[in-house]
Amino acid sequence: MSSTLTVTGSTRVYGLIGHPVRHSLSPSMYNTLFARFGIDAVYVALDVHPENADQVADAIRTLDFVGVNLTVPFKERVMPQLDRCTQAAVEAGAVNVVTSVQGTLTGYNTDGEGFSRSLAEEGGPSIDGASAVVLGAGGAARAVASTLVDRGAARVTILNRTVSRAQATAEALGGDVAWGGLTVDGFDSAARGAQIVVNCTSGPARDRVACFDPSVLAAGASWVDINYWMENPPLQAECQAASVRFHDGIGMLAHQGALAFELFTGHPVSGAEIRQILIAGLR
Ligand code: ATR
């Protein structure tokens, strides 16, 4: 952060609740924005042990946080403690933003909207009518898959190591969502001719994803890897060789952050502005 932070008794407090949170870019991102827009607020990262998950909502109320972001492993676990959740959060089965108004907690999910805005901004294919494959079935995968369904994707397939989890996610989303295992054969048949693939598996799945062949996708297809922090995300070079547009997760992170910032402060900010701050923080 370039400017000095002044905290007084009236400074509003925001935070990130997760485990771990040490490498998060959120504190520097939000504090830079608060300084830039002259907002008297501060954002802190809070490493909360998972065994205290049941007390997270009470802590938000008791400590008078105006808003918090939730990350692993709290996105799903805190949901039942909130007073209300948006439809996007319910469909995703996960909350990444919580606002508190006089102790009433509302849960939002900005991942799916952040994904679709960044795909459009980065010149990706239209979701409407597309055939899409989602790798993974965690909270981020559910948010992305539900957005694909809501925005009119013609076909969505969820592939996951634990097939029963892929099936449960597909069934929860309703419609025509297909599912399968995270295997080379499963990928080849689901992704053949598809326009969009979104890798929502986490870091340890890297080697398995690296075995897939992006050249089976349609011409002009997009491959999005939401793991923005990965130095060498799997298949980046292979996508480029196959003329498949590769999107790192920075765009999605920027747009979900812009949406969260507006929910927190009422102050609009563009995804491009946040992207600049994030890229500076990653250097
Ligand atoms: P989030 O909520 O942030 O999306 P998550 O719920 O931990 O994160 O989901 C991680 C995803 O990566 C899951 O789809 C997980 O597969 P399982 O449901 O089978 O656990 C996937 N994943 C994690 N490690 C993996 C590995 N070594 N191989 C394959 N998939 C893996």
Side-chain angles (χ1 to χ4, degrees):
M1 250 196 325
S2 51
S3 44
T4 311
L5 189 67
T6 309
V7 179
T8 70
S10 59
T11 301
R12 283 173 292 166
V13 185
Y14 297 84
L16 171 69
I17 296 179
H19 180 79
V21 293
R22 206 153 24 109
H23 299 297
S24 171
L25 298 175
S26 295
S28 90
M29 177 183 102
Y30 285 102
N31 287 319
T32 301
L33 289 170
F34 293 148
R36 186 169 294 179
F37 297 126
I39 297 170
D40 181 14
V42 63
Y43 188 102
V44 289
L46 302 160
D47 195 328
V48 173
H49 196 280
E51 75 185 16
N52 296 320
D54 292 348
Q55 292 140 54
V56 165
D58 283 343
I60 295 169
R61 292 190 190 92
T62 305
L63 299 172
D64 203 22
F65 279 90
V66 186
V68 299
N69 290 116
L70 299 177
T71 187
V72 178
F74 299 111
K75 284 180 168 189
E76 292 101 15
R77 292 172 68 180
V78 173
M79 252 180 118
Q81 302 164 35
L82 304 177
D83 297 297
R84 55 184 180 227
C85 290
T86 60
Q87 196 187 337
V90 172
E91 281 177 8
V95 157
N96 68 329
V97 176
V98 178
T99 60
S100 176
V101 178
Q102 289 167 347
T104 299
L105 304 188
T106 304
Y108 303 82
N109 190 305
T110 61
D111 283 338
E113 179 70 16
F115 156 73
S116 74
R117 285 191 188 190
S118 64
L119 188 66
E121 184 185 70
E122 294 169 11
S126 163
I127 293 174
D128 192 15
S131 173
V133 179
V134 176
L135 309 180
R142 283 204 302 271
V144 167
S146 71
T147 300
L148 289 165
V149 171
D150 287 351
R151 303 288 154 89
R155 180 178 162 81
V156 178
T157 307
I158 297 172
L159 302 179
N160 196 46
R161 173 180 61 177
T162 310
V163 179
S164 58
R165 204 173 173 205
Q167 179 177 359
T169 300
E171 288 174 352
L173 292 174
D176 255 350
V177 179
W179 71 85
L182 193 69
T183 61
V184 169
D185 286 350
F187 177 81
D188 280 351
S189 63
R192 192 160 294 277
Q195 286 82 26
I196 301 169
V197 175
V198 192
N199 179 23
C200 300
T201 60
S202 52
R206 193 191 183 291
D207 291 348
R208 196 180 287 222
V209 173
C211 296
F212 297 164
D213 176 9
S215 73
V216 302
L217 299 178
S222 276
W223 182 289
V224 184
D225 195 311
I226 73 161
N227 296 301
Y228 64 85
W229 48 269
M230 239 185 227
E231 254 178 54
N232 292 304
L235 301 180
Q236 186 162 14
E238 289 80 353
C239 282
Q240 275 150 8
S243 298
V244 169
R245 190 189 289 258
F246 188 91
H247 308 251
D248 63 29
I250 300 271
M252 177 171 160
L253 181 71
H255 278 278
Q256 69 81 18
L259 290 158
F261 187 75
E262 191 164 351
L263 289 169
F264 283 161
T265 64
H267 201 301
V269 57
S270 70
E273 208 165 355
I274 296 204
R275 173 193 282 275
Q276 270 182 353
I277 296 171
L278 290 171
I279 289 172
L282 282 171
R283 278 193 195 120

